[in-house]
Amino acid sequence: MVLQYLIIRTQWDNILKFAMPASSLCDAHNNCAEKCFKYIKQDDWVTSGKLGSREAVLVFRTNILNPKTRKTLLETTPEQVKLKNVEATSTQSGVVLEKAMSSAICKTNATIGQAYVSVEKSPNSNDLRNPVKKLHGSFSSCDTSVSSDGDETVQYNEKKPRVQQKNRNAAIVEIEVNLNKESGYNSIPATQFNTGSNTSEEDQEASSEEDKECGINMPAHQLQITYKFIQTETKLLRKIFNVHGLTEVQGESNFNLLWTGVHMKLDTLRNLALYQRVNHFPRSYELTRKDRLYKNIERMQHLRGMKHFDIVPQSFILPLESRDLLFAHNKHRGPWIVKPAASSRGRGIFIVNSPDQIPQDEQVLVSKYIVDPLCIDGHKCDLRVYVLVTSFDPLIIYLYEEGIVRLATVRYDRNADNLWNPCMHLCNYSINKYHSDYIRSSDAQDEDVGHKWTLSALLRHLKLQGCDTHLLMLNIEDLIIKAVLACAQTIISACRMFVPNANNCFELYGFDILIDNTLKPWLLEVNLSPSMGVDSPLDTKVKACLVTDLLTCVGIPAFSPEMRSHYNSKSSQIRSSSCHRQVDTTESGIAIRSTKTKKKTFGLIQLTQEEQRILRSARLQYSRRGGFVRIFPTDDTMQRYGHFLDSANGIPISTPNVQGQTFQTLVTQHNYNQMLHSNLYCLGSRSLKDDNCQENRIRQYERALETDSEIPFLKKQIVEKCEEEGRRLRKQLLKKIGSGSTLTHFQARQTFSLYLESVLRRLTQDPKDSHEKIILKFLNRYGGGVKPPVLFRNTLNVSKARSAMVAKLLGDFLELYKRDTEAYVDSFDHFGMIPTSAYSLFLIHAQESDLEAVLTHHTNVTGIMPFLYNRCGLSVPPTPPIPSGLHGFLRALPAMVSASGFSRDVSKYDGYFKSCDKNLEDVHDISLRSRSTRDFK
């Protein structure tokens, strides 16, 4: 047996030596190369250059999120297959064992796409096509590859029909099942929350620890690539980063990728190293703030002509332009939509029929309401498309092939009586999800079911109805490009001042677009950090593919710690890209030509070093684009948009020229946009002209997004509560509170948060008119970041839309409240306080009545309200008497808040919420009621 084991071990060692080439790490980390990649082939997860080179970047793929694929890779390593078969030697002969091992090897190679192919055939090949297509599927829907020296070989293939895709997935699953049977291992079943099939509730996806275990085998983990989050949704992003081997860091500046949901600090930008990436450009608010976006587009309308930039509805910024708004309203009657200048997720948006219904003491954007929107089965809809900008100078814009179509829950009606109903006029998911009639798709393959569709499903639906979807998508591309051009000048200026290296920044924008019944697209707003939340299988599929394609396209440098320390040193760190460009163009007047030993390529002969770097970077980036479609530059962009760019430096000019001192005189004279377009699309260039033509782009938009494997995602596990245990723990807590123990601020806020969550669930399932009025009154008094719409009035009946609106307001309050609660975490048990462990157990099993009883008793005994106030003071109102009985605490809740102790910018709306009583209707309500019988025009 020992001799047979040694023979088998020797055979395996020979197979490994023959099948696995040596790592191509740079000299700085050659010593650790052999132990880093035992079964994960490094070339499959690194592209654009050999690992260890300056141009090597990481590859991200969605199918590694599938636990079946992950399990196959983890459990079919040579060592594990070897040990499994060695155990079987006690019952099998050596010949049978050798056959089983050979079969396992063949199955493994078939499953992972010939990853251990003979080195003699292509010893130095770094081409990604075969490993990517067979092992991990394509980058997305496009067949792209790039060699290590940067030469492109791009081939455009249409997506296969859905039936063929399902058959291919079934074949992959069959291979995995056969492999697991022969190797003695069973793959982890997919979670219930997946995109392809329904599984039992017991089937759970791998935990975060298993994700990190998978990431250990990735090059990113061996290279110690790190990421950092700042105020952003992390559920999907953290999972993708962990399975690809990235490590999260806290409170450190030495990160490789910084993903933030807010604008960047200038000090952080100034100190970025060459290998670091951040997901925002400086001064992106010029594009993402509603007021700044409209003003920038309005300037272009005056400067370049209204016919070229008629992409947004007529808008006014109040209170500065109140007189202009009144003049426009008198000229063209109709409803107006009011939006806070810097809000998101539909917060604070309402519709009025007359400007005199708009408060004049806060800054808002008032836009003409589009009364004839495109409707699907009678429901209003809008689009969320994802736009990636990797550079502003030169301008490089990508549009993701798939987007989200959001439908309103209530059928659209032009009658002015329904102006208050946000579930009819607003398509935001954050609003409509609280409506009891909202339908979620349970299968990612059903892209036209429920109130959330995909962009490709909408285009196919419109095409069947005879609509010109080709022209529609070209108009959407035109709208995106013109919106970016209108805001680019300020962002370019900020990048030159604050961004050290040209590739440090990238940005994913969420464009919200409304289509009217003539198929004309209108830009509603641009989101700084589009939501990465995954509440349905359709969300999971689209956003997971979006994020992985984004990270691969942008390119996270695969630098070793030694290389990073080299670039971090002051002596070798590369400084501002604008400084380099100035040196190249001012100190080197003679163009740098290719040496005689190198092959002369058209377009590179008369280019400076900086221009060569830009061109090479653009080509490599395009080869990694995955599902992103480059809409600028294309073969006709200079013809269509060249007159919007300055002829000397190629920068979009959105301000009129001032004699003596203009923007373009303050920067180096160059035209990278013209240079890039000439070398990519002019006659004789290396790129294929037809690869990015209009027909191919439109075809890519209309086809369904494919995934080579299921993309499961872990749902939040709901712990079953025991009512008896909750009552028992409640009695103990009430006894301790009566004997002098008190809740900490964190415990009190936790309890209050869970209590409001219970109320929120009840509002969406069993609405009660009295409870909705109580919540509205409480939110109105509390103020803060949650502002109920001005014209949201209580109707005579309890409608589902009204209940959804109250639930939306309460949900917004809870979001802010939970964020503030994080500052009150108890690190230890305080003297005289209830122990943390015992109280945490109570919160697990507590029902709404238990939480209400504890809050009521604690408030009555202590006379304080730590769930609302940090400390006692003059602004804290006295504790009100809490009525006995069910929901007594809820009825007393508004009295716990003193309107005088909070910001007055919300208390001025109190009259609107008292309008439920007929005797308190004011003049504005009378004027609105007089117009309610007329339809808008």
Side-chain angles (χ1 to χ4, degrees), residues 13-58:
D13 292 339
N14 293 333
I15 292 174
L16 290 179
K17 291 179 181 179
F18 179 75
M20 299 188 66
S23 176
S24 59
L25 286 168
C26 65
D27 295 337
H29 54 284
N30 268 334
N31 296 332
C32 63
E34 295 181 1
K35 64 181 180 180
C36 289
F37 312 103
K38 294 183 178 180
Y39 69 92
I40 296 292
K41 190 178 179 183
Q42 60 198 36
D43 290 343
D44 294 339
W45 301 99
V46 176
T47 185
S48 294
K50 294 184 180 297
L51 189 59
S53 66
R54 177 172 169 174
E55 292 181 341
V57 298
L58 300 178

Side-chain angles (χ1 to χ4, degrees), residues 290-291 316-321 325 337-342 348 350 358-367 909:
K290 299 179 182 65
D291 53 349
F316 303 91
I317 298 177
L318 268 57
L320 296 178
E321 300 175 349
L325 173 62
I337 184 167
V338 184
K339 305 177 182 179
F350 58 96
I358 305 174
Q360 298 294 319
D361 52 356
E362 65 173 322
Q363 183 174 342
V364 293
L365 180 72
V366 182
S367 302
Y909 300 136

Side-chain angles (χ1 to χ4, degrees), residues 679-745:
N679 285 272
L680 292 178
Y681 295 103
C682 286
L683 182 63
S685 61
R686 296 167 63 187
S687 297
L688 299 177
K689 294 183 62 176
D690 294 336
D691 178 63
N692 201 32
C693 64
Q694 291 183 4
E695 290 74 14
N696 289 345
R697 299 202 306 268
I698 303 305
R699 194 180 301 116
Q700 188 169 350
Y701 296 138
E702 293 179 351
R703 61 195 186 186
L705 181 66
E706 288 185 0
T707 53
D708 289 331
S709 59
E710 298 173 357
I711 307 175
F713 201 80
L714 184 63
K715 291 182 64 177
K716 182 179 180 181
Q717 298 182 3
I718 301 177
V719 180
E720 294 185 2
K721 296 185 177 183
C722 179
E723 294 186 10
E724 295 183 0
E725 183 68 11
R727 286 195 295 268
R728 184 185 68 82
L729 295 173
R730 180 182 68 181
K731 293 180 181 179
Q732 294 181 358
L733 289 177
L734 294 178
K735 185 177 180 180
K736 290 185 177 181
I737 293 174
S739 60
S741 298
T742 58
L743 301 178
T744 64
H745 274 89

Side-chain angles (χ1 to χ4, degrees), residues 449-469:
V449 175
H451 291 97
K452 186 178 286 188
W453 290 18
T454 60
L455 173 62
S456 59
L458 175 65
L459 294 177
R460 295 191 298 270
H461 172 78
L462 295 177
K463 197 169 185 178
L464 290 176
Q465 295 182 345
C467 299
D468 190 353
T469 55

